[in-house]
Amino acid sequence: MVSKKTPWVHPFLATGFLFAASSVPALALAAENQTVTQETLSEEALSENNLSEQTLIEQTEENDLVSKDVGFKFPEFYTCPSEPMEPIRYQAVRNEETGPIRVYSDSAVREGDRAYLNGNVVVTQDGQQLTANSLTADNLTQSYRAEGDLLFTNQNFVVGADNLSFQALQGKTEISNTRFHLYSNNGNGSAETITIDNNQVLTLSDSEFSTCPTNQRSWAFESDEIVIDRESGWGKAYNSVVKVADVPVFWLPYITFPIDDRRKSGILPPSFSNSDRNGRDISVPYYFNLAPNYDLTLTPRYMTSRGSMLGSEFRYLTEDSNGELFFEYLPNDKDPNALGDKRWQYEVQHLTDLGDDWTTGINARNVSDDGYYQDFGGSLENSNQDILSQNLYVQHRSKDWFFRTEYKDWELLNSPVERYTIAPRIQMTRFFEPDENGFHAQIHSELTRFDKDNEITANRYHFEPSIGWSHETLYSFFRPQVKYAVTHYQQKDLTGNVDHLTRTLPTASVDTGLYFERFMDVDDERYTHTLEPRLFYLYTPYEAQSDIGIYDTSLPTFNFTQLFNTNRFSGIDRIGDANQISGALTSRILDSEGREKVSMSLGRIVYLADRQVQLIDTTDRETEKQSGLLAEVNWRWTDSLEVKSVVEWDDQTNDTTHGLINLHYEPEPNHIINLGHRYRERLDRRQEEAELAFAWPIKDNWRLLGRYNQDLVENRTNDSFLGLEYESCCWAVRLVARRYLNIQLDSEGFILPGQSDEHNSGVFLQFVLKGIGSLRGSTTEFLEDSIYGYEDLLGK
């Protein structure tokens, strides 16, 4: 379903307070069905002038107990709740069975159709209680009135009042001089009167609400009148004021807000920032709840250094389809250094279920110019998105068949190179599940058209059957496989000449491994220790392929996955010749529930022949006898400490090709320290970074958070920020100052030459009044992406 978005007024104001208020008359004497007058004040229980003496005697002991629990005094709340409870949500219709209503009092007198209960009146039902000094019930007018130290309590809230009256014929309830407290979020306040009509519409007059303790009113929300319609799920507030430290700071003549999870059109949390590149930046989204299955969000944005921008997001959901359409447009960029006046980006995501395992979809993204993300991305990573794709496909997937046809195009930012457009690609694969002897097979076929302006174009036909056998035991596996690839190219050059090239290559592989395990007893706990050796042999003969163009093929970064691939290239324009053995040794420690506590792996490839097929013709053949040594360690012996490390080491030159190590320490939720180091060497270039990120309480309600990422090769800071949070039970504030490098990187992640060290700076502020709303969203995603393991709980 379309996810829920609501205006900025927090639903606690209605869901807790108004639920409590509306529950009082409904549960006190069950006015709708007159349960009390039928059970407790019935003819059998009432004499001419007095309640049955036996009934009073039987209930005296229980009445005393109930009275002691209530205390007959509205409690004072001076501290925040230690263990918040989930609030009870509104339900428009309730069908749950309810227990009997029981009434107790010191004395009871009946005069005609009226009954008078006096002294320690207690009404109970299903763990809820209403207490008062007196209660008068009139069977003729179907009304009742409770007065004097009226108190309603249950496990979630407490409501006090001077008196309560109910008129069944008019369907009206009125409660005077109410006070309330919600245990779930410490919400508390008062209302001069609360009236409820027969349609369960609540009207509150002269009300006040806050989540701050009663003796520390840091903020309060006051309103002349609030009208709540439980059936529609929405409320209206008139002449409302937000006060901070008893000083009015915000006035709302009229506002609507939700009282449950139903969506409503309205303003979403604004975001504010200030940066060197864009100046003062403010966005105010407005949400349109157009229908239950589609909605629209418009986001006007103003940047003092650039001008006005408008963003739009349309989301939809039907029985068979769902999707999102996003468009952002800046009609006139005031920055004289901008790459064009008109700046825009769009993103389309669509999926349709056609039935019978058929689906179709669209995933497309594009921008107006190469500098768009650099100007509006917001970080070094975001500003260097360099590949944007547009994809349209129709797909069928079942147990035995896979079919897909697609059109795909790319836009490469900050690159003089263009990628080939796939227009179209048709793939079909037939799967043959393993028989009783363990044999399995598949037939894969593919037809692709590659197109590019002022370049060679091509049609590629690929056919690849394969057959394998799998023998599995509790302690081993043995998986030989043979496949035969036939690929035909029709390449057309700029003069119109067409070359026909056919490549046929068989590939044979054997993948085998063993499982050894033993039990370990550590600190009275039993662990399983495994040892898992694995060998993979791969053979593909050499065939010259230099006449074939490079259309969709690349050479991926060497990692553990590459050890067991049947082709060292990604894509089929190149099928690498291979005569090699890959070996890996993995050891794990698992706890009694099978969770991995520690894993360590070592692996490498031993080459039995030189590799002649290269991605680029001018590259010499590879003559190394073995690959670098890969090592990987994952450690999480305790829930508070996690270590991940991957290293590729060339033992021929005693040099590290690439490596990373990340340490994550979190002894308690959101008590985080992250340390990281990354190193990569490729050709004649070296990249090395160190990082520290943290989120840690420093004193009482104060929390410090930040990140520092340093380029050790260039001796400059890539990204840094420092933030300070303060949070009490009823309000919170966050201030973050940030500075990050805003330059372009190449496809390998290295800085493009000829750029100055241009940094962008910004300051972000969030202020939260718990129970009403916040400016959430301006830094939430940024902080959670920057600090691994961090969850933004500000204001929750």
Side-chain angles (χ1 to χ4, degrees), residues 255-477:
I255 189 171
T256 61
F257 55 88
I259 62 172
D260 54 24
D261 289 334
R262 282 174 281 185
R263 295 177 291 118
K264 172 74 172 178
S265 299
I267 297 175
L268 295 175
S271 63
F272 306 92
S273 65
N274 184 62
S275 65
D276 297 337
R277 183 174 289 271
N278 296 329
R280 290 179 294 279
D281 188 344
I282 178 173
S283 299
V284 184
Y286 192 90
Y287 174 74
F288 294 89
N289 181 31
L290 303 178
N293 63 326
Y294 57 89
D295 57 21
L296 172 68
T297 302
L298 293 180
T299 307
R301 178 180 180 184
Y302 180 73
M303 297 162 282
T304 56
S305 298
R306 297 192 175 274
S308 299
M309 173 183 281
L310 180 64
S312 62
E313 180 188 28
F314 178 73
R315 306 182 304 171
Y316 56 93
L317 175 64
T318 66
E319 183 176 352
D320 300 319
S321 302
N322 65 85
E324 296 185 16
L325 308 176
F326 175 80
F327 183 72
E328 197 171 53
Y329 184 60
L330 177 65
N332 184 20
D333 195 333
K334 297 190 298 183
D335 189 335
N337 299 318
L339 298 179
D341 294 335
K342 296 177 173 56
R343 316 289 297 278
W344 53 263
Q345 73 160 320
Y346 75 80
E347 184 173 359
V348 178
Q349 295 182 3
H350 172 82
L351 178 66
T352 296
D353 184 356
L354 302 174
D356 296 327
D357 300 319
W358 286 88
T359 57
T360 182
I362 302 174
N363 292 292
R365 192 178 187 186
N366 210 339
V367 294
S368 57
D369 54 80
D370 289 352
Y372 190 90
Y373 291 116
Q374 188 177 14
D375 291 337
F376 307 111
S379 71
L380 183 62
E381 179 181 357
N382 292 336
S383 63
N384 279 280
Q385 298 183 64
D386 56 354
I387 299 179
L388 306 177
S389 63
Q390 299 86 44
N391 182 278
L392 168 65
Y393 67 90
V394 177
Q395 179 175 294
H396 170 78
R397 184 185 294 272
S398 65
K399 178 182 177 181
D400 299 324
W401 286 95
F402 172 76
F403 172 85
R404 180 183 176 100
T405 179
E406 66 178 336
Y407 170 91
K408 195 167 187 178
D409 196 7
W410 290 269
E411 180 176 356
L412 273 63
L413 305 180
N414 301 292
S415 174
V417 179
E418 293 184 7
R419 294 187 66 169
Y420 276 93
T421 298
I422 294 175
R425 171 185 284 141
I426 302 173
Q427 297 173 285
M428 185 167 61
T429 304
R430 175 69 164 93
F431 301 99
F432 299 90
E433 294 296 318
D435 61 14
E436 63 276 6
N437 297 316
F439 287 96
H440 58 89
Q442 74 175 40
I443 300 174
H444 174 72
S445 58
E446 178 183 313
L447 166 62
T448 309
R449 167 69 180 174
F450 296 102
D451 198 5
K452 186 195 291 189
D453 294 338
N454 301 317
E455 291 283 349
I456 295 175
T457 59
N459 293 332
R460 184 180 69 193
Y461 307 89
H462 184 73
F463 179 76
E464 185 177 293
S466 64
I467 185 170
W469 180 61
S470 180
H471 178 68
E472 311 277 346
T473 68
L474 292 176
Y475 56 86
S476 67
F477 66 89

Side-chain angles (χ1 to χ4, degrees), residues 522-537:
V522 180
D523 296 333
D524 298 327
E525 288 199 29
R526 171 153 289 195
Y527 296 89
T528 301
H529 179 209
T530 72
L531 190 65
E532 306 167 26
R534 182 180 179 183
L535 289 176
F536 180 77
Y537 175 73

